[in-house]
């Protein structure tokens, strides 16, 4: 059990989660209700009596159950209003459950004519706000509050907070439903952000008036947190993120076990600095710890602190599929695909009908190239529910692995038809369009992905790739830098930044970025095949050779030769003093990293700088095309500088490798000719 958690704490936690599950379900917040119920059932068991179902004494020996104190409404005014509205509430909720949102809202609020336009496009189309660079200033949204508007009256009749929330939430969903109907097909002509939820301005004004009235009457401390959450969601739709963050923080203080508020708050945090700033403003309870772990995972912070916090939570919720998923995703971000796959497999065995986060599992299997397992997961998901976005993404990944990119796009579009804000589908569809050489469609898909979640480094990286294909290096550089900022310890990001700088002729910046990639690669997760000694990793020969060629473009032959030597060292993995100089220039880079560079492993033999008795101690990449290029350059350089012995030795090694044999033979002839002249 986590430090400081007693049986009383566990009982209290059960009461709070039970309360959250029931109240979220009453307000039709079904995803949050599901999360709370799953956590409640995963909580540590503290009952000491016999639970044998076959025991005849079971019912007699079971201790009496105490009533959950949190289920009772404390405010007498709210109790009175809720009892008066009980039958109406049942009617409204039945309408909500049958997706008749307008009828649901009309039970409590004066009915209005739905604002359905006569044409498919908005009469005042507004450009879709984007997180990508734009010129000029963006216009203010029409539903960011009514502070500039003098009318702050409460337009709603006297209702309990429970009934008012259900009515306004139904109104909000009715607007969202109409917006989706007007948008029509994914990436179609009407899917450019011109269509908006027309209910939002009225909802924002009404809630502002309601909160103002509560403030004037001194009733703010008697709010329940549900309407604060709804107001924050409406502000988010209007891109008023600063205000939305304040209301979400207020909501989690009033109602800390509502997971939906924490999720919306997580979406607002773009960096670890944002997380550090907001943590001090949050309530100090177990939900904040769960939130911190979830945010750290979303920000790719696979640190010791994150793992320790997750382990503490797992002692309280030992069977939680949610926490297991967080651990699997942390392993995934650290490129430990095998371990992540094992955890997802265990979850699938325990809960074969659970589709949550199954799209991430399919991504892992895709990267591993595990086609049979991916086919099995796709069959299981399809048998459970073929019209879930997660299922469509799993099937799309399967077809992508089979190189049937058109079919994959079809399934990703289907996922987006079901849920326009499903991040994985936008990013994966962008990848497929890149494979199909449809660069413009790929760019639009990636743009929509970063609009949904600005923390998705894959979408930023994909945008960089797309613009690089179009030879627009300045744009590509911007997007690669965004990806590198999110994944500073991933060498692939810095290699892309360095490549862009090189194309733009900014050689010094390119060298710095590639050195950063080397340092990031040296922190790769434990892998015996890439380890050349205790705690030491092989540097990427490709990156070393790129740095060497860049120094050659600058005319710095000494540095070129040093990095060519380093490239050659990676064949055997022998440590070299020059490697320390690479690390010292990036001494602040001290975290774990991943790399997707696949190195070819060929025969190993001792280099000219390695003693025979060290061959069993150090293990490197073996001879590769890159190390052979470095050997050829060094042979020519030695010949130019009069080191005939070294040039002859390197040329002989090239002949043994079978790479650049003609060049090597020509070099050996030059060496012999110079020796004869010298004699």
């Amino acid at each position: 059990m986590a430090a400081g958690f007693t049986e009383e704490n566990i009982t209290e936690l059960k009461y709070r989660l039970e309360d959250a599950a029931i109240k979220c379900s009453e307000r039709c917040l079904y995803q949050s209700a599901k999360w709370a119920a799953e956590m409640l059932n995963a909580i540590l068991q503290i009952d000491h009596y016999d639970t044998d179902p076959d025991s005849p004494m079971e019912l007699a020996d079971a201790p009496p159950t105490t009533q959950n104190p949190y289920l009772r409404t404390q405010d007498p005014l709210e109790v009175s209003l809720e009892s008066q509205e009980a039958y109406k509430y049942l009617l409204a909720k039945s309408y909500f459950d049958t997706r008749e949102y307008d009828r649901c809202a009309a039970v409590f609020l004066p009915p209005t004519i739905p604002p359905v336009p006569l044409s498919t496009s908005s009469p005042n189309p507004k450009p879709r706000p984007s997180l990508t660079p734009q010129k000029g200033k963006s216009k203010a949204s029409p539903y960011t509050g009514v502070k500039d508007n003098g009318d702050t009256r409460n337009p709603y009749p006297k209702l309990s907070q429970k009934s008012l929330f259900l009515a306004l939430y139904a109104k909000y969903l009715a607007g969202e439903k109409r917006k989706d109907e007007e948008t029509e097909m994914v990436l179609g002509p009407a899917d450019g952000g011109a269509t908006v939820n027309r209910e939002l301005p009225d909802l924002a004004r009404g809630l502002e008036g309601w909160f103002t009235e509560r403030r004037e009457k001194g009733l703010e401390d008697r709010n329940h947190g549900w309407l604060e959450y709804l107001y924050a969601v409406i502000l988010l739709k209007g891109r008023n993120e600063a205000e939305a963050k304040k209301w979400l923080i207020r909501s989690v203080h009033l109602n800390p076990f509502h997971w939906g508020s924490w999720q919306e708050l997580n979406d607002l945090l773009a960096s670890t600095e944002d997380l550090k700033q907001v943590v001090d403003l949050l309530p100090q309870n177990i939900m904040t710890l769960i939130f911190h772990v979830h945010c750290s995972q979303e920000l790719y912070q696979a640190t010791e602190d994150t793992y320790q916090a997750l382990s503490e939570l797992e002692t309280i919720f030992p069977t939680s599929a949610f926490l297991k998923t967080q651990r699997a995703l942390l392993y995934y971000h650290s490129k430990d695909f095998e371990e992540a796959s094992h955890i997802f497999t265990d979850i699938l065995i325990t809960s074969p009908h659970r589709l949550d986060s199954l799209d991430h599992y399919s991504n892992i299997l895709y990267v591993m190239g595990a086609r049979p397992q991916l086919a099995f997961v796709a069959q299981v998901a399809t048998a459970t529910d073929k019209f879930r976005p997660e299922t469509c993404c799993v099937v799309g990944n399967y077809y992508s692995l089979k190189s049937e990119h058109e079919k994959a796009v079809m399934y990703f579009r289907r996922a987006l038809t079901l849920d326009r804000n499903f991040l994985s589908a936008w990013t994966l569809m962008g990848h497929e369009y890149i494979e199909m050489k449809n660069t413009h469609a790929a760019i639009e898909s990636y743009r929509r992905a970063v609009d949904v979640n600005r923390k998705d480094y894959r979408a930023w990286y994909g945008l960089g790739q797309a613009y690089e294909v179009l030879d627009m290096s300045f744009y590509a550089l911007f997007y690669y830098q965004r990806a590198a900022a999110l994944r500073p310890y991933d060498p692939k990001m810095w290699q892309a930044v360095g490549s862009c700088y090189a194309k733009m002729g900014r050689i010094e910046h390119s060298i710095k970025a590639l050195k950063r990639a080397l340092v990031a690669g040296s922190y790769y997760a434990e892998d015996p095949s890439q380890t050349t000694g205790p705690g030491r990793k092989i540097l990427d020969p490709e990156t070393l050779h790129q740095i060497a060629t860049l120094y050659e473009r600058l005319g710095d032959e000494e540095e070129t030769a040093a990095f060519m030597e380093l490239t050659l060292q990676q064949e055997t993995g022998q440590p070299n003093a020059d490697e320390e100089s690479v690390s010292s220039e990036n001494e602040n880079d001290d975290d774990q990293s991943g790399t997707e560079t696949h190195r070819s492993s060929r025969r190993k033999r001792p280099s000219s700088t390695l003693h025979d008795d060290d061959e069993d101690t150090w293990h490197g990449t073996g001879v590769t095309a890159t190390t052979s290029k470095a050997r050829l350059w060094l042979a020519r350089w030695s010949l130019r500088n009069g080191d005939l012995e070294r040039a002859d030795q390197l040329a002989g090694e090239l002949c043994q490798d079978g790479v650049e044999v003609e060049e090597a033979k020509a070099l050996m002839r030059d060496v012999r000719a110079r020796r004869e002249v010298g004699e």
Side-chain angles (χ1 to χ4, degrees):
M1 193 180 295
F5 247 77
T6 62
E7 289 190 8
E8 290 76 13
N9 296 140
I10 295 291
T11 305
E12 170 88 0
L13 186 56
K14 283 185 173 181
Y15 285 151
R16 297 303 298 263
L17 286 170
E18 181 190 10
D19 173 61
I22 291 172
K23 288 182 178 175
C24 285
S25 183
E26 286 177 347
R27 288 158 180 80
C28 301
L29 297 168
Y30 294 122
Q31 291 300 323
S32 295
K34 180 178 76 171
W35 183 88
E38 285 181 348
M39 296 299 281
L40 176 61
N41 280 274
I43 208 166
L44 185 69
Q45 295 297 322
I46 58 171
D47 299 321
H48 303 299
Y49 57 89
D50 184 12
T51 55
D52 181 8
D54 297 326
S55 171
M57 302 299 291
E58 175 73 21
L59 295 174
D61 291 344
T65 57
T66 56
Q67 188 178 2
N68 188 337
Y70 295 103
L71 290 175
R72 295 193 298 269
T73 307
Q74 305 297 327
D75 188 345
L77 176 62
E78 291 293 321
V79 172
S80 172
L81 288 172
E82 284 180 20
S83 62
Q84 292 172 23
E85 300 158 0
Y87 297 153
K88 278 191 172 184
Y89 193 87
L90 287 174
L91 177 64
K93 191 174 184 303
S94 66
Y95 288 150
F96 192 106
D97 291 338
T98 53
R99 297 179 183 273
E100 297 181 69
Y101 301 124
D102 287 308
R103 288 187 77 189
C104 172
V107 172
F108 293 113
L109 301 177
T112 56
I113 299 173
V116 180
L118 296 177
S119 62
T120 57
S121 62
S122 170
N124 297 307
K126 298 177 180 64
R128 173 174 56 87
S130 174
L131 293 173
T132 49
Q134 294 177 340
K135 292 183 179 179
K137 295 182 179 179
S138 60
K139 293 183 180 179
S141 173
Y143 40 89
T144 55
V146 293
K147 290 185 178 178
D148 297 332
N149 191 331
D151 186 13
T152 56
R153 290 173 299 172
N154 177 12
Y156 306 126
K158 189 174 182 181
L159 295 170
S160 66
Q161 294 182 48
K162 180 179 173 182
S163 299
L164 183 59
F165 176 85
L166 184 67
L168 297 182
Y169 186 47
K171 213 171 182 62
Y172 165 76
L173 287 183
E176 288 292 298
K177 182 169 175 280
R178 279 189 284 273
K179 185 188 80 170
D180 288 342
E181 289 167 356
E182 291 172 32
T183 305
E184 297 173 356
M185 69 181 240
V186 176
L187 293 184
D191 191 22
T195 51
V196 294
N197 183 342
R198 299 173 184 281
E199 302 288 352
L200 295 178
D202 287 340
L203 288 172
R205 282 192 292 271
L207 278 170
E208 182 71 21
W210 189 85
F211 287 123
T212 302
E213 184 181 277
R214 297 281 290 186
R215 201 159 41 241
E216 289 170 353
K217 291 181 177 180
L219 300 174
E220 268 189 308
D221 58 340
R222 292 162 71 175
N223 291 353
H224 297 166
W226 304 100
L227 290 164
E228 284 82 354
Y229 160 72
L230 182 58
Y231 187 47
V233 169
I234 292 166
L235 290 173
L236 276 175
K237 288 289 182 180
R239 301 283 177 170
N240 193 348
E241 296 183 358
E243 278 294 311
K245 188 183 292 186
K246 292 177 186 175
W247 285 97
L248 285 170
I249 292 171
R250 194 176 301 176
S251 175
V252 297
H253 274 280
L254 293 167
N255 190 12
F257 285 82
H258 173 212
W259 182 240
S261 296
W262 295 102
Q263 282 184 308
E264 294 293 342
L265 190 57
N266 166 66
D267 292 342
L268 286 172
L269 306 180
S271 65
T272 51
E273 288 75 21
D274 290 348
L275 177 59
K276 287 174 185 174
Q277 288 171 5
V278 83
V279 160
D280 296 333
L281 305 173
L282 299 175
Q284 298 303 308
N285 55 31
I286 194 171
M287 289 299 293
T288 300
L289 183 59
I290 295 172
F291 170 73
H292 196 280
V293 168
H294 178 61
C295 286
S296 299
Q297 179 272 120
E298 290 278 312
L299 291 164
Y300 317 109
Q301 299 298 304
T303 62
E304 285 299 320
D305 290 342
T306 306
Y307 282 114
Q308 185 179 351
L310 184 55
S311 298
E312 287 181 9
L313 288 170
E314 284 175 334
T315 61
I316 302 168
F317 304 96
T319 60
S320 169
F322 170 78
L323 294 178
K324 288 179 182 177
T325 301
Q326 299 307 302
R327 184 174 288 278
L329 291 175
L330 284 170
Y331 284 132
Y332 173 40
H333 299 326
S334 301
K335 309 290 183 184
D336 192 349
F337 301 123
E338 287 289 344
E339 194 61 38
S341 175
H342 288 323
I343 294 174
F344 272 119
T345 302
D346 290 342
I347 294 172
L348 194 62
I349 292 169
T350 309
S351 307
H353 302 299
R354 185 179 189 270
L355 299 181
D356 300 335
S357 299
L358 211 60
D359 52 312
H360 295 299
Y361 185 26
S362 71
N363 290 340
I364 293 167
L365 295 176
Y366 181 93
V367 173
M368 293 171 66
R371 187 167 152 186
Q373 292 96 315
L374 186 52
F376 173 74
V377 173
Q379 286 177 336
V380 170
T382 305
T384 302
D385 186 353
K386 65 171 66 176
F387 295 111
R388 273 278 292 272
E390 293 89 345
T391 301
C392 296
C393 281
V394 172
V395 177
N397 266 334
Y398 171 71
Y399 281 118
S400 179
L401 194 58
K402 289 179 66 181
S403 297
E404 296 183 28
H405 302 298
E406 290 81 4
K407 276 190 176 180
V409 166
M410 181 184 75
Y411 276 95
F412 294 140
R413 291 174 79 98
R414 183 178 294 176
L416 291 167
T417 302
L418 294 167
D419 182 0
R420 290 296 168 100
N421 293 322
F422 197 71
L423 172 67
S424 289
W426 284 118
T427 306
L428 295 171
M429 191 162 72
H431 295 343
E432 296 308 304
Y433 279 129
I434 287 285
E435 293 291 334
M436 294 164 64
K437 304 294 188 287
N438 189 345
T439 312
H440 295 288
I443 288 173
E444 184 59 25
S445 298
Y446 288 135
R447 283 186 191 278
R448 297 294 289 272
V450 296
D451 278 347
V452 171
N453 182 3
R454 72 196 76 180
K455 297 189 288 283
D456 184 14
Y457 79 94
R458 299 171 304 162
W460 291 113
Y461 184 82
L463 278 168
Q465 281 185 310
Y467 278 109
E468 200 170 14
V469 168
L470 296 173
D471 289 327
M472 299 172 74
S473 298
F474 283 98
Y475 282 91
L477 176 63
F478 171 81
Y479 295 120
Y480 282 144
Q481 285 174 330
R482 290 295 297 260
L486 287 165
R487 295 274 288 180
Y489 302 110
D490 191 335
K492 186 180 175 185
M493 306 297 120
W494 292 108
Q495 286 165 356
V497 170
S499 171
C500 263
Y501 274 130
K503 286 182 180 178
M504 294 161 64
R506 296 164 69 176
I507 306 303
E508 292 87 353
H509 288 86
S510 178
I511 289 170
K512 284 182 182 177
L514 290 172
K515 284 183 177 178
R516 184 79 182 263
L518 281 178
V519 173
S522 70
Y523 288 100
Y524 186 44
E526 296 293 335
D527 182 356
S529 67
Q530 301 297 324
T531 304
T532 62
R536 185 179 169 278
K537 312 294 185 294
I538 295 171
L539 297 176
D540 182 15
E542 288 286 344
T543 307
L544 288 167
H545 189 265
Q546 285 178 43
I547 295 172
T549 54
L550 289 170
Y551 273 121
E552 188 176 23
R553 285 172 64 178
L554 290 174
D556 190 343
E557 285 210 343
E558 290 297 326
E559 284 292 336
T560 305
F563 276 91
M564 288 294 184
E565 288 283 4
L566 267 178
T567 307
L568 205 55
Q569 298 279 339
Q570 306 315 304
E571 283 187 349
T572 54
Q574 185 194 23
N576 186 283
D578 289 335
E579 295 183 15
E580 299 301 323
S581 65
V582 176
S583 297
S584 65
E585 294 183 16
N586 297 274
E587 58 187 2
N588 292 326
D589 300 322
D590 56 356
D591 252 350
Q592 232 178 20
S593 168
T595 178
E596 294 175 9
T597 307
H598 300 278
R599 301 179 180 92
S600 59
S601 179
R602 295 169 56 186
R603 63 185 180 86
K604 298 180 177 65
R605 55 159 177 72
S607 172
S608 56
T609 60
L610 184 66
H611 297 294
D612 292 339
D613 58 351
D614 287 334
E615 187 178 1
D616 296 332
T617 306
W618 304 105
H619 303 282
T621 63
V623 179
T624 66
T626 302
T627 57
S628 295
K629 287 177 189 175
R631 183 174 280 108
L632 179 60
W633 189 94
L634 286 169
R636 289 171 175 163
W637 184 70
S638 299
L639 185 62
R640 285 200 304 273
N641 287 280
D643 189 352
L644 302 181
E645 184 73 26
R646 172 84 164 140
D648 189 41
Q649 189 177 19
L650 290 169
E653 289 172 0
L654 276 168
C655 289
Q656 292 176 26
D657 295 342
V659 181
E660 303 285 357
V661 176
E662 294 303 320
E663 288 278 355
K665 287 180 178 178
L667 278 171
M668 294 176 77
R669 286 195 294 270
D670 285 347
V671 170
R672 280 197 296 270
R674 291 197 184 190
R675 280 175 175 168
E676 289 170 2
V677 171
E679 291 174 358

